[in-house]
Amino acid sequence: MDVIPLKIVVLILTYNQRSITLECLSTLLKQEDVPFRVLLWDNGSHDDTIAAVNDAFPDVLTFYSESNLGVAGGRNASAMTAIGKLGATHLLFLDNDILVAPGFVGALYELFETEPQLGQTQAKLRFMYDRSLINDGGGARISFVFWRVKPVGFGEPDRGHYDVQHPCISCGGAMMVRSDVFQQLNGFDPLFGPFGPEDLDFSLRLQKAGYKAMYIPKAVGYHQVSHTFGEGYSEEYARHKSRHWLLFMRRHASLGQRLAFYLVGAPILSIQVFIREARRGNLRAFRGLIQGLLRQRK
């Protein structure tokens, strides 16, 4: 039986974030634990990111998209490019606002050598500007009833209590996936563009297909976090997020969870959003939420 040579490709998306992207690459390319290539996918930037990366890091493979494909579309396009042009066996999806600690790439890969059913690994993330606090200590916690999605340990002091490797629902900012599994699942679903949760949907579909997703605390990154968790949003954002949530529930929630959401969670959420956005003079966001909930995506 032929052994396929290991080819890890790190995939990074960028859009008008030249300085952040260069900083991410500067720490990533110091990794020496396992061999890997880096592919940067530019989703239509206008700040000369590609030129700056080519000048500073000539070994990075860069691609420029004339249009912004969004997160799911950009990741899918970059992944298929990495598989087709570089023969990638493992894909490491890394947000460009993450700085990685030494041993990061190797730690995410190591378990793949001994676990044949492993399809995905995820790193441990701390906040970039307060590295004593956890951003993600083990994937996502999901409450289908009350529409809550939050990383494990978010905002908690890191006392080592999330340093045990365990199965998880992987968030997409720092995760490695087997290329064959990624292709089998047809990658991230663009129906969740542009506001997610394509990463959680992918991880749950991966596990339903019989593969494991594991949290690897030895792989540490520092994240410039932009999570809002419902701190106010536009009408378009609210409409898309609510439609996406219904699609996500139909795929992954039990019948009981869906019924509880419609009977309990949705009314409570609607009241909370109405009060919050009324105080902000932003009732269009409430209208977007209701439109999204009533117009279920087919």
Side-chain angles (χ1 to χ4, degrees), residues 122 136 138-142 149-152 168-171 199-200:
Q122 181 196 303
D136 188 332
R141 287 181 175 143
I142 301 172
V149 178
K150 200 169 185 178
V152 173
C168 70
I169 301 171
S170 180
C171 303
D199 53 347
L200 305 182

Side-chain angles (χ1 to χ4, degrees), residues 33 45 47 56 78 104 112 118 166 191 199 202 247 250 289:
D33 45 346
S45 297
D47 63 353
S78 64
F104 182 86
F112 284 100
L118 183 64
H166 60 76
L191 285 177
D199 53 347
F202 178 83
L247 172 61
R250 287 200 299 273
L289 172 74

Side-chain angles (χ1 to χ4, degrees), residues 108-152:
L108 285 177
Y109 169 72
E110 183 180 13
L111 192 61
F112 284 100
E113 292 191 331
T114 57
E115 288 284 349
Q117 287 305 113
L118 183 64
Q120 179 181 43
T121 56
Q122 181 196 303
K124 174 182 182 179
L125 299 177
R126 299 193 189 110
F127 290 101
M128 187 180 298
Y129 298 119
D130 187 344
R131 298 188 178 189
S132 68
L133 301 179
I134 291 172
N135 168 215
D136 188 332
R141 287 181 175 143
I142 301 172
S143 169
F144 286 107
V145 176
F146 294 104
W147 189 353
R148 292 175 187 158
V149 178
K150 200 169 185 178
V152 173

